[in-house]
Amino acid sequence: MNHSQPPHQFTAKAVRDFADASAPAGTGELSEIARTVASQYRADTMSPVMVSGLLRLCEFLILALTGLSIYFAYASGAIGLTYGYPLVILAGSGLGVLLLEIANLYQLGVMRRPFVFLPRIVLVVTATFALLAMAGFFLKISDEFSRVWFAGWLASALLLVLSGRVMLSVLIRRWARNGTLERRALIVGGGKPAEALIRTIEQDPDNDIRICGIFDDRDDSRSPPIVAGYPKLGSVTELVEFARIARIDMLIVSLPLSAQSRVLSLLKRLWVLPVDIRLSAHSSQLRFRPRAYSYVGSVPMLDIFDKPINDWDSVAKRLFDISFSLAGLIAFSPLMIATAIAIKLDSKGPVFFKQKRHGFNNEVIEVFKFRSMYTDQCDPLARRAVTKGDPRVTRVGRIIRKTSIDELPQFFNALLGSLSLVGPRPHAIKGHSQDRLFEEVVDGYFARHRVKPGVTGWAQINGLRGEIDHDDKIRRRTEYDLDYIENWSLGLDLKILFLTPLRLLNTENAY
């Protein structure tokens, strides 16, 4: 059998282009039971990837600060200050974390049971110091370092690393009980395959998945209402709304790999969500290379879509937003003050204007802008698009809209976290093209909300700003937004950020 193009290699474009008249557009209404279940989950969760990453950082700091503390407390007084000690301490700390990583001691199961893996942890930390000692011997520099300092560093590092692991295991058990440390999953598809999948997932003691329910388009005669103790909460169409309310992390499609048309039909409705989408290979007779699989516990999964900008990427992007937002507010503060004064002198009313927009995961957010319209004619829901020569726009408003100065207060949105500096521009809730809402014009429109919207974006850099008076304009903007999401990097964000002032010189479509 030819495995060059296995059936799980679906691209976002393939899903968007797949025509399925039976797939309903939009979302269904949740039942009261499903809505109650969805609302019970807390918002502040932490992924195992983040926990293990923080543990790496903490253990590096433990090793480094322990070595430096003993050096300054003892060795510096005995032999004086020297640059050799800090260099060895930093090298040894990095080597220790690397060896712990190679020994797979940052896995969730290890963090949960530190006493079981205590001998291995002790062995790895001791081996780190043994390698440092060997390096000093072969480089003929061991005589330059205090043996008392070295032994004190080893003993203290072992004690603190093991103590930290024990305290972390207590925290992990607490986080698992209160729902802080978990990945929430929904099973798509019911019956015997879903039951076998759930039983296998539950048998893994180190599993961090919480199954929140089952969604299936089939009625109760073909798909039981309860599978392995989990209720069927609705159809796949209703799943979209449930996943947004419950902040689901993963969708596991329990369908045979051979049902490619049915899988594509499901993905057409599900890919708009900011979640990992996995196709269970638990009961499949097909076998691919091991690297083709990811695992939920011991269950092999084929990766269909990954949640964009997740875990440490989201941390990096948030730091990017905070630093550049602060820099922007400082740099543009004189212009913003002058604009505020001009608005107050030009017309009565507040300086700022808040407009409801669609944000991340379709949540409604309020975006700050300088007021550019007369107060009694402002349009918070953007039911009527601004056109050339619009009488609702003030004299100052025409200038600040044409130059995009009215968008500068959105630096505050980026600083507070409702916007990112770079991302798909947040469209108004009632945004429309030729009397049709954007989601009615563009199939899969809401997929652009899988990441936070931005103050500036890839579509705007490519000349798509201003009035949307034709269906093709919103289609092209959405294509650029989806291209940004699929190819995101900090380098792309920097490129967009620094090109934005140049692109703003083109004011042809800005009214």
Side-chain angles (χ1 to χ4, degrees):
M1 182 177 180
N2 182 8
H3 296 296
S4 61
Q5 286 188 321
H8 66 285
Q9 291 185 343
F10 302 123
T11 65
K13 188 177 187 303
V15 174
R16 295 199 300 273
D17 293 344
F18 180 76
D20 178 23
S22 65
T27 62
E29 284 295 325
L30 284 177
S31 66
E32 284 301 317
I33 294 176
R35 193 173 295 277
T36 300
V37 171
S39 61
Q40 73 180 353
Y41 297 109
R42 59 188 296 160
D44 53 333
T45 60
M46 188 184 310
S47 75
V49 173
M50 295 292 290
V51 174
S52 62
L54 289 171
L55 179 60
R56 291 177 180 87
L57 177 61
C58 288
E59 290 190 337
F60 176 84
L61 292 175
I62 285 173
L63 291 168
L65 293 177
T66 301
L68 288 171
S69 298
I70 296 175
Y71 167 64
F72 284 113
Y74 169 76
S76 63
I79 62 174
L81 295 172
T82 173
Y83 289 111
Y85 279 85
L87 291 176
V88 169
I89 289 168
L90 290 176
S93 302
L95 178 63
V97 172
L98 177 62
L99 293 179
L100 288 166
E101 175 67 37
I102 292 172
N104 289 320
L105 291 173
Y106 287 112
Q107 303 299 316
L108 183 62
V110 176
M111 293 187 286
R112 278 178 169 164
R113 304 192 303 276
F115 293 108
V116 174
F117 293 91
L118 186 146
R120 193 189 300 181
I121 296 171
V122 171
L123 177 63
V124 171
V125 175
T126 305
T128 301
F129 284 82
L131 288 173
L132 287 177
M134 289 175 60
F137 174 78
F138 285 112
L139 294 173
K140 298 182 179 180
I141 58 172
S142 57
D143 290 342
E144 299 177 16
F145 297 91
S146 166
R147 290 169 176 77
V148 174
W149 162 76
F150 194 75
W153 184 21
L154 169 59
S156 301
L158 268 175
L159 178 63
L160 290 176
V161 166
L162 293 174
S163 300
R165 292 276 180 146
V166 171
M167 288 188 289
L168 178 61
S169 69
V170 174
L171 286 174
I172 286 176
R173 286 194 292 271
R174 181 184 302 169
W175 291 338
R177 285 195 302 269
N178 64 22
T180 299
L181 182 63
E182 64 183 11
R183 286 186 294 167
R184 296 172 191 156
L186 294 176
I187 306 297
V188 185
K192 291 295 183 183
E195 182 178 2
L197 170 65
I198 292 170
R199 297 295 187 203
T200 306
I201 291 175
E202 289 182 333
Q203 287 172 2
D204 191 335
D206 295 326
N207 172 42
D208 63 310
I209 292 292
R210 171 180 287 194
I211 299 172
C212 301
I214 297 168
F215 286 81
D216 197 344
D217 284 335
R218 296 173 295 177
D219 58 30
D220 290 351
S221 64
R222 299 177 59 204
S223 174
I226 297 179
V227 177
Y230 293 91
K232 186 172 69 175
L233 297 173
S235 68
V236 174
T237 304
E238 293 158 356
L239 180 153
V240 176
E241 184 180 357
F242 182 95
R244 284 175 173 145
I245 297 173
R247 298 175 181 267
I248 295 298
D249 299 298
M250 180 183 296
L251 303 180
I252 303 176
V253 180
S254 179
L255 291 176
L257 298 178
S258 57
Q260 182 163 325
S261 294
R262 191 176 171 199
V263 170
L264 278 168
S265 173
L266 287 173
L267 296 180
K268 181 179 176 64
R269 288 177 274 174
L270 300 179
W271 76 289
V272 299
L273 291 168
V275 298
D276 295 327
I277 300 181
R278 302 289 182 257
L279 183 58
S280 170
H282 175 59
S283 57
S284 172
Q285 299 302 312
L286 293 177
R287 288 293 178 265
F288 302 106
R289 291 186 295 271
R291 65 183 181 183
Y293 297 106
S294 63
Y295 287 85
V296 173
S298 60
V299 180
M301 300 282 175
L302 296 174
D303 297 351
I304 306 298
F305 288 112
D306 289 326
K307 182 178 181 180
I309 316 181
N310 197 23
D311 293 325
W312 287 104
D313 284 342
S314 66
V315 174
K317 189 167 176 63
R318 183 69 187 125
L319 292 173
F320 178 94
D321 289 342
I322 292 172
S323 57
F324 279 94
S325 294
L326 287 172
L329 286 171
I330 293 170
F332 290 108
S333 57
L335 178 59
M336 293 176 72
I337 292 170
T339 302
I341 294 171
I343 291 171
K344 291 298 289 184
L345 292 175
D346 183 51
S347 60
K348 294 180 180 179
V351 169
F352 296 107
F353 171 67
K354 291 190 292 185
Q355 191 172 62
K356 293 186 183 297
R357 303 281 183 97
H358 275 128
F360 171 70
N361 205 15
N362 262 31
E363 294 178 352
V364 176
I365 60 173
E366 288 189 329
V367 172
F368 302 131
K369 301 180 73 174
F370 280 124
R371 182 175 59 84
S372 59
M373 295 184 180
Y374 293 103
T375 304
D376 59 346
Q377 299 184 59
C378 288
D379 186 7
L381 296 180
R383 296 179 186 274
R384 178 182 160 198
V386 176
T387 58
K388 189 173 184 178
D390 199 313
R392 297 174 297 166
V393 180
T394 65
R395 290 174 300 174
V396 170
R398 297 187 193 285
I399 298 172
I400 63 176
R401 290 181 69 91
K402 203 167 190 63
T403 57
S404 291
I405 292 173
D406 64 322
E407 310 283 358
L408 288 178
Q410 289 170 27
F411 279 121
F412 290 109
N413 284 108
L415 195 60
L416 295 172
S418 57
L419 291 184
S420 183
L421 268 183
V422 180
R425 284 290 297 147
H427 292 161
I429 295 174
K430 298 298 181 181
H432 58 275
S433 170
Q434 297 181 335
D435 298 324
R436 286 200 298 164
L437 295 174
F438 292 154
E439 60 265 31
E440 296 171 347
V441 176
V442 182
D443 191 24
Y445 167 79
F446 288 122
R448 66 192 300 278
H449 300 155
R450 288 183 294 158
V451 299
K452 282 184 185 179
V455 178
T456 183
W458 187 228
Q460 286 65 44
I461 290 303
N462 285 278
L464 296 169
R465 59 186 289 253
E467 183 184 5
I468 299 176
D469 55 2
H470 192 276
D471 290 356
D472 187 55
K473 288 187 177 181
I474 186 58
R475 289 194 186 101
R476 290 181 62 207
R477 288 193 189 196
T478 303
E479 284 295 325
Y480 275 110
D481 292 338
L482 298 180
D483 180 66
Y484 166 80
I485 293 171
E486 293 174 12
N487 297 286
W488 174 85
S489 68
L490 282 180
L492 180 59
D493 275 4
L494 277 170
K495 176 181 177 180
I496 292 171
L497 196 62
F498 287 115
L499 283 176
T500 295
L502 298 177
R503 297 298 186 264
L504 290 178
L505 296 176
N506 179 10
T507 61
E508 180 182 354
N509 296 317
Y511 308 135

